[in-house]
Amino acid sequence: MEFRKKRKVDSERRAFNKDWMPKYFFTEIDNKGVCLLCNQSVAVLKEYNISRHYATKHGNYGNNLSEAERQTRATELDRKLARQQKVLEKSTLAQKSSTHASFMVSYHIAKHSKPFSDGEFIKKCMLDVADQVCPEKSQKFEEVSLSRRTLARRIETIGEHLTSQLKGLVP
Ligand SMILES: [Zn+2]
């Protein structure tokens, strides 16, 4: 019963129709309908769900626009959203690399039984080096968190990870 229900929903899921962009000011991101006016997403790509969002939240928007103007406006909004998405992706990527760097330092500190407070000392040295070598990038080094609290948390995570890996090796 459950299985049949699920299949029904899947088969109802349709592809995004390009006409919905000027019609309801919607675009598609990762298989979801995203409203170009409020950035809210609609999980199921069905015209009913999308048109309902438009009618209830932005019913009057674009009433005075011609069809061509709606198309232009929608395309503009779509481009703007795509740019925002790109900036967001970039910042998540940068965040990932600074988190990774912080894990690496935590690992070295734990492996060599150094006190957690060394993280702050390492950061000071790192920033001084960055200021000399690549001052334009020193902000990136600033973002690598090496406080005692962060190190303690990272080392705990590394420990848990190792424990679960070891447990996996025991038959
Ligand atoms: Zn909306």
mmCIF file of all heavy atoms in Angstrom, residues 119-148:
data_model
loop_
_atom_site.group_PDB
_atom_site.id
_atom_site.type_symbol
_atom_site.label_atom_id
_atom_site.label_comp_id
_atom_site.label_asym_id
_atom_site.label_seq_id
_atom_site.Cartn_x
_atom_site.Cartn_y
_atom_site.Cartn_z
ATOM 1 N N GLY A 119 46.370 26.458 19.436
ATOM 2 C CA GLY A 119 45.638 26.845 18.240
ATOM 3 C C GLY A 119 45.686 28.349 18.029
ATOM 4 O O GLY A 119 45.926 28.837 16.913
ATOM 5 N N GLU A 120 45.497 29.103 19.122
ATOM 6 C CA GLU A 120 45.509 30.558 19.016
ATOM 7 C C GLU A 120 46.906 31.069 18.635
ATOM 8 O O GLU A 120 47.044 32.023 17.868
ATOM 9 C CB GLU A 120 45.028 31.191 20.329
ATOM 10 C CG GLU A 120 43.520 31.309 20.360
ATOM 11 C CD GLU A 120 42.900 31.082 21.724
ATOM 12 O OE1 GLU A 120 43.563 31.356 22.742
ATOM 13 O OE2 GLU A 120 41.741 30.610 21.762
ATOM 14 N N PHE A 121 47.918 30.397 19.192
ATOM 15 C CA PHE A 121 49.304 30.767 18.870
ATOM 16 C C PHE A 121 49.592 30.483 17.386
ATOM 17 O O PHE A 121 50.133 31.332 16.673
ATOM 18 C CB PHE A 121 50.264 29.973 19.774
ATOM 19 C CG PHE A 121 51.701 30.095 19.388
ATOM 20 C CD1 PHE A 121 52.384 31.301 19.598
ATOM 21 C CD2 PHE A 121 52.387 29.032 18.816
ATOM 22 C CE1 PHE A 121 53.717 31.422 19.237
ATOM 23 C CE2 PHE A 121 53.721 29.153 18.454
ATOM 24 C CZ PHE A 121 54.383 30.353 18.663
ATOM 25 N N ILE A 122 49.156 29.323 16.931
ATOM 26 C CA ILE A 122 49.360 28.958 15.520
ATOM 27 C C ILE A 122 48.669 29.976 14.605
ATOM 28 O O ILE A 122 49.232 30.405 13.598
ATOM 29 C CB ILE A 122 48.826 27.529 15.240
ATOM 30 C CG1 ILE A 122 49.716 26.503 15.959
ATOM 31 C CG2 ILE A 122 48.764 27.234 13.738
ATOM 32 C CD1 ILE A 122 49.165 25.096 15.959
ATOM 33 N N LYS A 123 47.481 30.371 15.010
ATOM 34 C CA LYS A 123 46.735 31.323 14.185
ATOM 35 C C LYS A 123 47.475 32.663 14.084
ATOM 36 O O LYS A 123 47.556 33.262 13.009
ATOM 37 C CB LYS A 123 45.337 31.538 14.768
ATOM 38 C CG LYS A 123 44.536 32.549 13.978
ATOM 39 C CD LYS A 123 43.141 32.131 13.800
ATOM 40 C CE LYS A 123 42.344 33.181 13.071
ATOM 41 N NZ LYS A 123 40.938 32.875 13.027
ATOM 42 N N LYS A 124 48.026 33.109 15.210
ATOM 43 C CA LYS A 124 48.766 34.370 15.207
ATOM 44 C C LYS A 124 49.925 34.286 14.210
ATOM 45 O O LYS A 124 50.138 35.187 13.392
ATOM 46 C CB LYS A 124 49.293 34.640 16.619
ATOM 47 C CG LYS A 124 49.131 36.085 17.040
ATOM 48 C CD LYS A 124 49.482 36.284 18.502
ATOM 49 C CE LYS A 124 48.255 36.663 19.307
ATOM 50 N NZ LYS A 124 48.414 36.511 20.744
ATOM 51 N N CYS A 125 50.665 33.179 14.263
ATOM 52 C CA CYS A 125 51.800 32.991 13.353
ATOM 53 C C CYS A 125 51.317 32.962 11.901
ATOM 54 O O CYS A 125 51.893 33.603 11.019
ATOM 55 C CB CYS A 125 52.523 31.663 13.644
ATOM 56 S SG CYS A 125 53.240 31.609 15.279
ATOM 57 N N MET A 126 50.217 32.204 11.704
ATOM 58 C CA MET A 126 49.662 32.050 10.360
ATOM 59 C C MET A 126 49.295 33.409 9.766
ATOM 60 O O MET A 126 49.593 33.706 8.611
ATOM 61 C CB MET A 126 48.400 31.207 10.504
ATOM 62 C CG MET A 126 48.156 30.223 9.430
ATOM 63 S SD MET A 126 46.823 29.130 9.977
ATOM 64 C CE MET A 126 45.421 30.240 9.904
ATOM 65 N N LEU A 127 48.641 34.252 10.586
ATOM 66 C CA LEU A 127 48.204 35.563 10.104
ATOM 67 C C LEU A 127 49.401 36.464 9.794
ATOM 68 O O LEU A 127 49.378 37.214 8.814
ATOM 69 C CB LEU A 127 47.291 36.235 11.133
ATOM 70 C CG LEU A 127 45.889 35.629 11.248
ATOM 71 C CD1 LEU A 127 45.108 36.293 12.372
ATOM 72 C CD2 LEU A 127 45.132 35.749 9.930
ATOM 73 N N ASP A 128 50.452 36.362 10.626
ATOM 74 C CA ASP A 128 51.651 37.165 10.362
ATOM 75 C C ASP A 128 52.295 36.746 9.046
ATOM 76 O O ASP A 128 52.721 37.586 8.258
ATOM 77 C CB ASP A 128 52.657 37.012 11.515
ATOM 78 C CG ASP A 128 52.269 37.884 12.696
ATOM 79 O OD1 ASP A 128 51.465 38.826 12.487
ATOM 80 O OD2 ASP A 128 52.745 37.626 13.813
ATOM 81 N N VAL A 129 52.356 35.427 8.832
ATOM 82 C CA VAL A 129 52.941 34.930 7.584
ATOM 83 C C VAL A 129 52.089 35.394 6.400
ATOM 84 O O VAL A 129 52.609 35.904 5.403
ATOM 85 C CB VAL A 129 53.055 33.377 7.598
ATOM 86 C CG1 VAL A 129 53.500 32.855 6.241
ATOM 87 C CG2 VAL A 129 54.020 32.934 8.689
ATOM 88 N N ALA A 130 50.765 35.242 6.526
ATOM 89 C CA ALA A 130 49.861 35.637 5.442
ATOM 90 C C ALA A 130 50.015 37.125 5.132
ATOM 91 O O ALA A 130 50.031 37.518 3.957
ATOM 92 C CB ALA A 130 48.426 35.309 5.813
ATOM 93 N N ASP A 131 50.140 37.946 6.182
ATOM 94 C CA ASP A 131 50.287 39.389 5.977
ATOM 95 C C ASP A 131 51.513 39.715 5.140
ATOM 96 O O ASP A 131 51.512 40.678 4.366
ATOM 97 C CB ASP A 131 50.396 40.109 7.333
ATOM 98 C CG ASP A 131 49.014 40.437 7.882
ATOM 99 O OD1 ASP A 131 48.054 40.407 7.086
ATOM 100 O OD2 ASP A 131 48.913 40.704 9.083
ATOM 101 N N GLN A 132 52.559 38.923 5.297
ATOM 102 C CA GLN A 132 53.790 39.150 4.531
ATOM 103 C C GLN A 132 53.706 38.564 3.132
ATOM 104 O O GLN A 132 54.097 39.188 2.157
ATOM 105 C CB GLN A 132 55.002 38.533 5.260
ATOM 106 C CG GLN A 132 55.288 39.125 6.620
ATOM 107 C CD GLN A 132 55.488 40.628 6.558
ATOM 108 O OE1 GLN A 132 56.175 41.142 5.682
ATOM 109 N NE2 GLN A 132 54.855 41.337 7.480
ATOM 110 N N VAL A 133 53.194 37.353 3.066
ATOM 111 C CA VAL A 133 53.253 36.604 1.801
ATOM 112 C C VAL A 133 52.092 36.939 0.856
ATOM 113 O O VAL A 133 52.295 37.101 -0.349
ATOM 114 C CB VAL A 133 53.297 35.083 2.094
ATOM 115 C CG1 VAL A 133 53.315 34.276 0.806
ATOM 116 C CG2 VAL A 133 54.513 34.749 2.947
ATOM 117 N N CYS A 134 50.890 36.997 1.406
ATOM 118 C CA CYS A 134 49.724 37.251 0.543
ATOM 119 C C CYS A 134 48.697 38.081 1.308
ATOM 120 O O CYS A 134 47.638 37.572 1.669
ATOM 121 C CB CYS A 134 49.113 35.946 0.041
ATOM 122 S SG CYS A 134 48.825 34.739 1.347
ATOM 123 N N PRO A 135 49.028 39.374 1.565
ATOM 124 C CA PRO A 135 48.128 40.213 2.380
ATOM 125 C C PRO A 135 46.712 40.286 1.804
ATOM 126 O O PRO A 135 45.745 40.432 2.544
ATOM 127 C CB PRO A 135 48.810 41.581 2.361
ATOM 128 C CG PRO A 135 49.824 41.545 1.270
ATOM 129 C CD PRO A 135 50.220 40.112 1.107
ATOM 130 N N GLU A 136 46.589 40.152 0.471
ATOM 131 C CA GLU A 136 45.250 40.239 -0.131
ATOM 132 C C GLU A 136 44.386 39.041 0.278
ATOM 133 O O GLU A 136 43.171 39.078 0.126
ATOM 134 C CB GLU A 136 45.365 40.384 -1.655
ATOM 135 C CG GLU A 136 45.769 39.146 -2.439
ATOM 136 C CD GLU A 136 47.259 38.776 -2.316
ATOM 137 O OE1 GLU A 136 48.030 39.524 -1.681
ATOM 138 O OE2 GLU A 136 47.650 37.713 -2.839
ATOM 139 N N LYS A 137 45.025 37.997 0.791
ATOM 140 C CA LYS A 137 44.248 36.815 1.167
ATOM 141 C C LYS A 137 44.160 36.613 2.671
ATOM 142 O O LYS A 137 43.653 35.586 3.131
ATOM 143 C CB LYS A 137 44.874 35.574 0.526
ATOM 144 C CG LYS A 137 44.647 35.520 -0.974
ATOM 145 C CD LYS A 137 44.934 34.156 -1.527
ATOM 146 C CE LYS A 137 44.567 34.136 -3.006
ATOM 147 N NZ LYS A 137 45.519 33.390 -3.806
ATOM 148 N N SER A 138 44.665 37.584 3.434
ATOM 149 C CA SER A 138 44.731 37.335 4.876
ATOM 150 C C SER A 138 43.346 37.137 5.501
ATOM 151 O O SER A 138 43.207 36.434 6.500
ATOM 152 C CB SER A 138 45.500 38.446 5.583
ATOM 153 O OG SER A 138 44.808 39.644 5.445
ATOM 154 N N GLN A 139 42.319 37.698 4.866
ATOM 155 C CA GLN A 139 40.956 37.505 5.375
ATOM 156 C C GLN A 139 40.598 36.015 5.414
ATOM 157 O O GLN A 139 39.942 35.539 6.325
ATOM 158 C CB GLN A 139 39.980 38.300 4.507
ATOM 159 C CG GLN A 139 38.508 38.184 4.895
ATOM 160 C CD GLN A 139 38.255 38.563 6.359
ATOM 161 O OE1 GLN A 139 38.909 39.455 6.889
ATOM 162 N NE2 GLN A 139 37.324 37.870 7.006
ATOM 163 N N LYS A 140 41.070 35.284 4.413
ATOM 164 C CA LYS A 140 40.787 33.849 4.332
ATOM 165 C C LYS A 140 41.391 33.109 5.521
ATOM 166 O O LYS A 140 40.796 32.167 6.046
ATOM 167 C CB LYS A 140 41.362 33.264 3.039
ATOM 168 C CG LYS A 140 40.725 33.833 1.812
ATOM 169 C CD LYS A 140 40.432 32.742 0.811
ATOM 170 C CE LYS A 140 39.701 33.318 -0.349
ATOM 171 N NZ LYS A 140 38.439 32.708 -0.639
ATOM 172 N N PHE A 141 42.585 33.538 5.920
ATOM 173 C CA PHE A 141 43.245 32.896 7.056
ATOM 174 C C PHE A 141 42.513 33.253 8.352
ATOM 175 O O PHE A 141 42.406 32.446 9.258
ATOM 176 C CB PHE A 141 44.712 33.322 7.132
ATOM 177 C CG PHE A 141 45.547 32.742 6.016
ATOM 178 C CD1 PHE A 141 45.572 33.334 4.767
ATOM 179 C CD2 PHE A 141 46.286 31.586 6.226
ATOM 180 C CE1 PHE A 141 46.307 32.795 3.731
ATOM 181 C CE2 PHE A 141 47.035 31.042 5.195
ATOM 182 C CZ PHE A 141 47.048 31.644 3.939
ATOM 183 N N GLU A 142 42.019 34.486 8.367
ATOM 184 C CA GLU A 142 41.250 34.949 9.522
ATOM 185 C C GLU A 142 40.046 34.038 9.763
ATOM 186 O O GLU A 142 39.651 33.804 10.906
ATOM 187 C CB GLU A 142 40.793 36.389 9.228
ATOM 188 C CG GLU A 142 40.265 37.156 10.405
ATOM 189 C CD GLU A 142 41.344 37.560 11.391
ATOM 190 O OE1 GLU A 142 42.229 38.356 11.015
ATOM 191 O OE2 GLU A 142 41.286 37.064 12.516
ATOM 192 N N GLU A 143 39.482 33.511 8.671
ATOM 193 C CA GLU A 143 38.267 32.699 8.774
ATOM 194 C C GLU A 143 38.505 31.299 9.326
ATOM 195 O O GLU A 143 37.565 30.592 9.664
ATOM 196 C CB GLU A 143 37.601 32.584 7.393
ATOM 197 C CG GLU A 143 36.838 33.837 7.013
ATOM 198 C CD GLU A 143 36.587 33.933 5.520
ATOM 199 O OE1 GLU A 143 36.748 32.918 4.803
ATOM 200 O OE2 GLU A 143 36.249 35.036 5.054
ATOM 201 N N VAL A 144 39.768 30.882 9.389
ATOM 202 C CA VAL A 144 40.062 29.543 9.918
ATOM 203 C C VAL A 144 39.983 29.610 11.444
ATOM 204 O O VAL A 144 40.807 30.251 12.084
ATOM 205 C CB VAL A 144 41.460 29.058 9.469
ATOM 206 C CG1 VAL A 144 41.752 27.689 10.044
ATOM 207 C CG2 VAL A 144 41.548 29.044 7.951
ATOM 208 N N SER A 145 38.978 28.970 11.994
ATOM 209 C CA SER A 145 38.792 29.069 13.439
ATOM 210 C C SER A 145 39.685 28.069 14.164
ATOM 211 O O SER A 145 39.638 26.865 13.914
ATOM 212 C CB SER A 145 37.329 28.801 13.794
ATOM 213 O OG SER A 145 37.203 28.749 15.195
ATOM 214 N N LEU A 146 40.538 28.597 15.068
ATOM 215 C CA LEU A 146 41.450 27.733 15.816
ATOM 216 C C LEU A 146 41.348 28.014 17.313
ATOM 217 O O LEU A 146 42.303 27.808 18.058
ATOM 218 C CB LEU A 146 42.895 27.946 15.332
ATOM 219 C CG LEU A 146 43.196 27.524 13.884
ATOM 220 C CD1 LEU A 146 44.625 27.870 13.513
ATOM 221 C CD2 LEU A 146 42.962 26.036 13.668
ATOM 222 N N SER A 147 40.194 28.480 17.742
ATOM 223 C CA SER A 147 40.023 28.763 19.168
ATOM 224 C C SER A 147 40.022 27.449 19.956
ATOM 225 O O SER A 147 39.824 26.370 19.375
ATOM 226 C CB SER A 147 38.713 29.505 19.391
ATOM 227 O OG SER A 147 37.635 28.635 19.114
ATOM 228 N N ARG A 148 40.225 27.568 21.256
ATOM 229 C CA ARG A 148 40.245 26.357 22.103
ATOM 230 C C ARG A 148 38.961 25.562 21.933
ATOM 231 O O ARG A 148 38.981 24.342 21.813
ATOM 232 C CB ARG A 148 40.342 26.758 23.577
ATOM 233 C CG ARG A 148 41.673 27.302 23.997
ATOM 234 C CD ARG A 148 41.549 27.819 25.423
ATOM 235 N NE ARG A 148 41.332 26.689 26.320
ATOM 236 C CZ ARG A 148 42.279 26.201 27.095
ATOM 237 N NH1 ARG A 148 43.472 26.728 27.111
ATOM 238 N NH2 ARG A 148 42.020 25.185 27.890
#
